[in-house]
């Protein structure tokens, strides 16, 4: 049975990074993964850009009354060179006219006057003030973005600024989700005795959707070989197949056999993790991956955060594939009888001004999905640690 | 001129929380806002749910050989009562049969045998072991979710479990985005002298899209009264209108007049914040809100995080409307000449094991959008603070 770190390494060794690229308009790029570096096709600012409404001046002229030779609004370009004793009335966003070396804001003048009239400059302004020099932020040809990052607002704005619309992004992987089990009924059905509502396929669906990938639900395979075989064969046409249930040692667990028949080579059977020990990971030709996750809903969610999300992120083309981890101080005692597995318990992380505390939740084990609605992180209890008392400092994986 | 805190209060006083409700299947609910509390229609688990594959036993029988009276897989219900000297072969997920008070896992037995044969129980098992009692997690009628939260995977799983599919969510507000300015060209155009590419409308678009709301782009209004009037009148049909540019004191800023003509009552003109001082906020009948944001791209992004996002979140129906704030230790000196405004500088927050450090970025001011691609937080420099040296501890707003 592999350690968590070993299992993560095995998975990482097999997942191939993204290669397929497509182009998308920047208005549809939010949440997508940038496929490669982006260079600027212009200097930024593209000219000496005025940052205050006022008058473009020769700073050495100093205070006084000077003839306004031109008016340059934003979007226009001055035709005249400013010479000593003259000024150009100018607006924020316009290019600094030739000859001028500063802009004095209108508040430090007698106000705006028309071209041909005299503007009153009330204060001395320093050379270089109130405009941004051409190329100050970015020079033409500079790499402004590197591949493998999620495109969010700052990236969209940068892409717009450097003219990268449409932009090249990685094709998103396809993900299929399958539940297995005779006991499962749909959420809108009332469970009969012995039945329970299936939640795993919906939580997996939501977890994948939050990564910007819209998964396909393959429904529920009942506990018979033919149905499990057929559904798993269907799953093989997706980059990732996530199978919930059917992977423990039970006599009706047809999943391992069906995976083998479909051509998946199983690389991982079990991991020393709680919850989620019977984790299966397999690989088929053509960059197809399968994860078999235990049927208990909290197990499925934890396994997803620890193992499946980083795998999908790598295949999405992301450079950073792990959730953020922070250290946190446990606020209530945690004890367990056995320390053979690395355990992850749902906690509520709270920022306390000088660090995080991890509050324990009313949590009854891996079937207790409701407890997860109060959690925003998983606290790691290392192997061999059977007692972590209030004040213990551990590592937490933030999942929201 | 209002303080940041005063401006936030004025905005909050005017934004009405969400009221309109719609129903959505849980597979489309991720990212939506739950409209009201959700109760469970069943106990969870709905029966004494077996958590190990093995045999249901009467614990006081102890080790020995016992006749298997029945086989109950998951999804089935035992028909027979377990009596002393008898056991039922049972699978994970099945209901504990009447009479039994524990399950012994198969690993602690001689293995599975058929009904009618004798199973070898090798160890003593304690009463109550290896099943989860009916109603342990949730009782029928319990409130499992409260309104005003974002629906993510734990909530989706809980909704599925308690039968709340479809689920009632708040209708999302509508948001329109307008840029203004003669100097703006589209990202796929090459700017001529004096022109710049418009990035604000795309970064605002991305910021809104990341909230789960797909905004409408109204394009660019050129600097003439008729065009600005027409576009703002069009924006009035949306819950929120975000106008970029045209709100400073320049002589070509037609936005304030157009807002008044469209029926927006302006509640805020300027805020003591840097960047973003010329922030406009207005309200029109029927729950229509307008934000006028300065044209510099970093200003727009900061104003969005500080003022617009909380407003949209409140209108979305969210209870928690503010970004997470943490304290962070500045790693390089920050100095400024004037302390009249509360300033927000882009920083890269890094977790250092016992707290966050805030690394300054190469940042030239509010036009330098490229700097934001390296930032994940905004560090607040309070009013009157003109010097914050390395080691200074301040408040950071995490925006990603």
């Amino acid at each position: 049975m592999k350690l968590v770190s070993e299992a993560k390494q095995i998975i990482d060794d097999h997942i191939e990074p993204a290669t397929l690229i497509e182009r998308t308009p920047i208005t549809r790029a939010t949440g997508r993964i940038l496929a490669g570096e982006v260079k600027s096709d212009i200097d930024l600012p593209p000219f000496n850009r005025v940052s205050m409404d006022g008058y473009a001046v020769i700073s050495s002229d100093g205070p006084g009354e000077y003839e306004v030779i031109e008016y340059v609004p934003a979007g226009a370009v001055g035709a005249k060179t400013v010479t000593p004793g003259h000024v150009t009335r100018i607006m924020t966003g316009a290019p600094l006219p030739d000859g001028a070396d500063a802009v004095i804001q209108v508040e430090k003048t007698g106000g705006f006057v028309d071209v041909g009239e005299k503007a009153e400059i009330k204060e001395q302004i320093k050379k270089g003030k109130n405009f941004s020099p051409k190329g100050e932020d970015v020079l033409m040809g500079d790499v402004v973005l590197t591949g493998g990052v999620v495109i969010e607002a700052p990236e969209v704005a940068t892409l717009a600024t450097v003219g990268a619309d449409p932009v090249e992004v990685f094709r998103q992987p396809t993900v299929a989700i399958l539940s297995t089990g005779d006991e499962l009924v749909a959420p809108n059905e009332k469970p009969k005795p012995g039945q329970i509502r299936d939640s795993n396929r919906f939580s997996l669906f939501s977890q994948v959707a939050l990564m910007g990938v819209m998964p396909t639900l393959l429904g529920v395979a009942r506990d018979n070989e033919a149905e499990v075989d057929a559904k798993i064969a269907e799953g093989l046409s997706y980059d990732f197949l996530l199978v919930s249930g059917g992977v423990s040692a039970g006599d009706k667990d047809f999943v391992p056999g069906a995976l083998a028949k479909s051509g998946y080579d199983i690389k991982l059977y079990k991991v020393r993790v709680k919850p989620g020990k019977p984790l299966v990971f397999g690989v088929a030709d053509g960059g197809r991956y399968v994860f078999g996750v235990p049927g208990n809903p909290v197990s499925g969610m934890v396994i997803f955060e620890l193992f499946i999300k980083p795998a999908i992120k790598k295949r999405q083309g992301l450079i950073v594939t792990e959730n953020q981890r922070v250290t946190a101080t446990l606020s209530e005692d945690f004890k367990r009888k056995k320390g053979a597995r690395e355990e992850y318990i749902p906690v509520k992380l709270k920022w306390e001004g000088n660090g995080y505390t991890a509050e324990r939740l009313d949590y009854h084990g891996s079937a207790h999905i409701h407890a997860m609605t109060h959690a925003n992180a998983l606290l790691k209890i290392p192997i061999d640690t059977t007692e972590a008392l209030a004040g213990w400092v551990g590592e937490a994986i933030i999942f929201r």
Side-chain angles (χ1 to χ4, degrees), chain A residues 274-275 298-299 302 343-346 360-369 371-372:
Chain A
K274 182 181 180 181
V298 179
S299 307
V302 170
E343 184 162 355
Y344 289 84
I345 57 171
R360 293 196 64 198
L361 306 169
D362 180 29
Y363 172 57
H364 307 142
S366 61
H368 191 187
I369 188 65
M372 293 294 280

Side-chain angles (χ1 to χ4, degrees), chain A residues 36-97:
Chain A
E37 65 180 26
V38 173
K39 291 180 179 174
S40 182
D41 68 342
I42 50 173
D43 291 336
L44 291 172
F47 45 79
N48 291 325
R49 188 172 180 275
V50 170
S51 54
M52 290 283 181
D53 295 339
Y55 293 99
V57 299
I58 294 169
S59 55
S60 57
D61 275 354
E65 297 205 345
Y66 301 102
E67 188 191 346
V68 178
I69 57 169
E70 195 175 15
Y71 168 50
V72 183
V77 181
K80 296 187 177 173
T81 298
V82 176
T83 52
H86 300 86
V87 299
T88 288
R89 179 174 154 184
I90 200 143
M91 301 303 289
T92 300
L96 188 73

Side-chain angles (χ1 to χ4, degrees), chain A residues 142-363:
Chain A
D142 278 358
V143 173
V144 291
L145 293 169
T146 51
V149 299
V150 186
I151 298 172
E152 295 186 346
E155 291 73 30
V156 168
T158 299
L159 292 167
T161 306
V162 303
D165 182 20
V167 58
E168 291 194 340
V169 296
F170 285 120
R171 194 212 67 164
Q172 293 281 29
T174 55
V175 179
I177 297 167
L178 174 66
S179 282
T180 66
D182 280 344
E183 77 279 25
L184 302 178
V185 300
N188 57 7
E189 292 177 76
K190 192 94 178 183
K192 297 196 188 83
Q195 297 182 325
I196 57 166
R197 290 184 174 121
D198 183 18
S199 63
N200 291 27
R201 105 186 105 121
F202 301 102
S203 63
L204 289 170
F205 182 96
S206 181
Q207 286 178 300
V208 174
L210 285 165
M211 300 176 70
V213 177
M214 199 46 61
T216 302
L217 287 172
L218 300 183
V220 178
R222 297 301 162 187
D223 289 333
N224 70 72
E225 197 172 344
E227 195 164 328
V228 172
D229 285 357
K231 289 282 191 187
I232 282 178
E234 187 182 347
L236 187 64
S237 62
Y238 295 83
D239 297 331
F240 288 91
L241 169 61
L242 314 183
V243 183
S244 169
V247 293
S248 61
D251 60 352
K252 293 180 69 187
D253 289 347
F254 301 111
V255 171
L259 293 177
K261 278 183 258 181
S262 279
Y264 287 106
D265 186 9
I266 303 303
K267 305 292 184 187
L268 259 185
Y269 286 99
K270 278 186 178 175
V271 181
R272 284 175 68 182
V273 64
K274 182 181 180 181
K277 183 172 70 173
L279 168 66
V280 169
F281 169 66
V283 181
D285 290 345
R288 306 299 192 193
Y289 308 100
V290 68
F291 284 94
V293 301
N296 268 331
V298 179
S299 307
M301 295 195 72
V302 170
I303 289 298
F304 187 90
E305 295 294 333
L306 289 180
F307 300 103
I308 304 177
K309 193 195 271 186
I312 296 177
K313 280 188 172 180
K314 184 174 179 186
R315 193 80 183 123
Q316 283 183 298
L318 282 162
I319 303 281
V320 178
T321 59
E322 293 289 327
N323 287 9
Q324 199 198 349
R325 289 169 188 245
V326 298
T327 40
T329 305
L330 192 58
S331 54
E332 297 94 10
D333 295 352
F334 171 85
K335 292 177 184 179
R336 58 177 180 166
K337 284 187 186 148
K338 295 180 191 167
R341 288 190 275 166
E342 191 167 298
E343 184 162 355
Y344 289 84
I345 57 171
V347 293
K348 183 161 183 65
L349 279 194
K350 285 187 178 174
W351 181 256
E352 302 288 3
N354 56 356
Y356 286 103
T357 57
E359 274 183 16
R360 293 196 64 198
L361 306 169
D362 180 29
Y363 172 57

